[in-house]
């Protein structure tokens, strides 16, 4: 199939070890019977390109790439000059060593007419990435429309792109607090890794007494890989060991590579965490 589609790969710099590698690994966030896969692929710090099959006019490509998530990397589906990455859709390889993760590149027909039969992906900073298999789909992708409500705008580090936090609901029981969040984005141009954090404070000026930090999509869908539309996430913060009292909850996102927090923009101004209504543990 590589010869059929004119597949090529390259590296920007040489490195120790083999350029091809074989692994038997489990999929992250997989509950089925076939979560462990044996596959052979490459270790690259340059890029790849190949010809895409023909699809009907007006349809979109959705290209899914299986990677070994051995180290963090940012991939640009373009091989133009990357000195200014604004406007390019990128995908983030999360740092989940020893597991398979799939990345989805959405190539809308209206914006890809000039190179509709060609796909090229390149490591943005020359970081190593580990591609193993591509699947190519065609169809019409229609993102869900934005809700009329809006709690905040969340801006990724560097101030390039924003997503909307449309809704947050908190449900408390004796053992845990469940936080339900609805995000929305009108672009795939987010470019950062990101984890959601939920903090429980007895005093907001002190360290949290309980917290969780996790990527969306059960740990495998950083904001840089969100397709346009709605992202619905539910997180559970255990309350074991927390004595009776009144506590503050705060939520937010941060980049686990740089440890920079995303900026949360509300009518009250800018902050790096959003406080929710207090909860009382009897």
């Amino acid at each position: 199939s590589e010869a059929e589609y004119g597949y090529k790969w390259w590296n920007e710099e040489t490195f120790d070890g083999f350029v091809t590698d074989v692994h038997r690994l489990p999929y992250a966030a997989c509950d089925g019977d076939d979560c462990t896969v044996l596959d052979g692929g490459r270790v690259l710090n340059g890029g790849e390109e190949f010809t895409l099959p023909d699809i009907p006019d007006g349809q979109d490509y959705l290209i899914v790439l299986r990677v070994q998530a051995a180290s963090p990397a940012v991939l640009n589906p373009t091989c133009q000059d990357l000195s200014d990455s604004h406007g390019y859709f990128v995908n983030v390889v999360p740092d989940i060593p020893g597991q398979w993760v799939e990345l989805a590149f959405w190539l809308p027909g209206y914006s890809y007419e000039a190179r509709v039969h060609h796909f090229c992906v390149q490591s943005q900073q020359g970081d190593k990435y580990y591609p193993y298999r591509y699947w190519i789909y065609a169809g019409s992708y229609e993102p869900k429309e934005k809700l009329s409500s809006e709690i905040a705008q969340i801006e990724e580090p560097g101030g390039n792109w924003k997503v909307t936090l449309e809704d947050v609901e908190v449900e408390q029981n004796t053992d845990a607090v469940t936080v339900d969040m609805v995000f929305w984005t009108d672009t795939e141009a987010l470019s950062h890794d990101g984890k959601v954090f939920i903090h429980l404070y007895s005093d907001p000026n002190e360290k949290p007494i309980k917290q969780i930090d996790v990527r969306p999509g059960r740990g495998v869908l950083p904001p840089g890989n969100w397709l346009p539309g709605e992202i619905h996430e539910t997180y559970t913060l255990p309350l074991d060991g927390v004595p009776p009292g009144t506590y503050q909850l705060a939520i937010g996102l941060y980049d686990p590579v740089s440890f920079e927090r995303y900026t949360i923009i509300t009518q009250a101004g800018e902050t790096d965490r959003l406080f929710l209504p207090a909860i009382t543990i009897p």
Side-chain angles (χ1 to χ4, degrees):
S1 60
E2 290 188 352
E4 180 181 356
Y5 292 99
Y7 174 86
K8 300 176 183 178
W9 62 268
W10 68 93
N11 275 323
E12 296 296 334
E13 298 179 1
T14 58
F15 49 82
D16 294 335
F18 296 102
V19 76
T20 58
D21 215 350
V22 178
H23 286 277
R24 180 180 175 86
L25 299 174
Y27 262 98
C30 179
D31 299 325
D33 296 329
D34 300 320
C35 293
T36 299
V37 174
L38 175 68
D39 200 2
R42 294 185 172 89
V43 184
L44 302 179
N45 59 27
E48 309 160 86
E49 62 179 328
F50 53 87
T51 301
L52 294 168
D54 292 338
I55 61 174
D57 291 342
Q59 289 195 357
D60 307 329
Y61 288 104
L62 187 69
I63 301 174
V64 178
L65 167 61
R66 174 194 289 160
V67 297
Q68 181 202 167
S71 59
V74 178
L75 305 182
N76 287 68
T78 176
C79 291
Q80 300 179 20
D81 180 13
L82 301 183
S83 59
D84 180 5
S85 62
H86 289 241
Y88 294 136
F89 297 162
V90 306
N91 274 52
V92 175
V93 180
D95 188 12
I96 316 176
Q99 299 185 71
W100 299 123
V101 173
E102 291 180 358
L103 316 179
F105 296 91
W106 176 52
L107 309 185
Y110 68 84
S111 65
Y112 250 74
E113 292 177 358
R115 50 188 186 277
V116 70
H117 299 306
H118 184 251
F119 179 71
C120 190
V121 64
Q122 184 173 359
S123 177
Q124 190 179 71
Q125 301 294 333
D127 296 322
K128 287 183 182 178
Y129 73 104
Y130 304 75
Y132 275 71
R133 185 175 298 249
Y134 283 96
W135 292 266
I136 302 171
Y137 299 90
S140 298
Y141 177 73
E142 298 180 3
K144 187 173 181 177
E145 292 186 4
K146 184 179 180 182
L147 298 177
S148 57
S149 61
E150 179 179 312
I151 293 176
Q153 293 284 310
I154 302 178
E155 184 178 82
E156 66 179 2
N160 294 334
W161 315 105
K162 297 183 181 72
V163 298
T164 300
L165 179 62
E166 293 185 321
D167 192 26
V168 178
E169 293 184 5
V170 177
E171 184 176 335
Q172 178 188 349
N173 57 40
T174 56
D175 301 321
V177 172
T178 300
V179 181
D180 196 72
M181 307 182 197
V182 181
F183 301 95
W184 187 87
T185 177
D186 62 354
T187 175
E188 201 207 4
L190 294 165
S191 59
H192 280 254
D193 198 350
K195 288 186 175 181
V196 171
F197 66 81
I198 301 177
H199 291 172
L200 183 71
Y201 298 94
S202 57
D203 181 347
N205 296 314
E206 302 291 336
K207 292 182 178 180
I209 60 172
K210 284 280 186 180
Q211 71 181 71
I212 57 172
D213 304 74
V214 62
R215 285 183 184 87
R218 298 175 59 196
V220 300
L221 192 61
N225 297 357
W226 291 0
L227 296 177
E230 189 177 276
I231 305 292
H232 192 166
E233 290 288 308
T234 301
Y235 303 95
T236 300
L237 178 68
L239 295 176
D240 54 293
V242 179
T246 299
Y247 299 90
Q248 289 272 217
L249 276 172
I251 61 173
L253 289 94
Y254 74 96
D255 184 332
V257 178
S258 67
F259 296 102
E260 293 181 83
R261 286 192 181 181
Y262 285 52
T263 300
I264 299 174
I265 306 167
T266 67
Q267 292 182 345
E270 296 185 0
T271 181
D272 63 356
R273 55 184 174 167
L274 178 67
F275 281 96
L276 304 179
I279 65 168
T280 299
I281 300 176

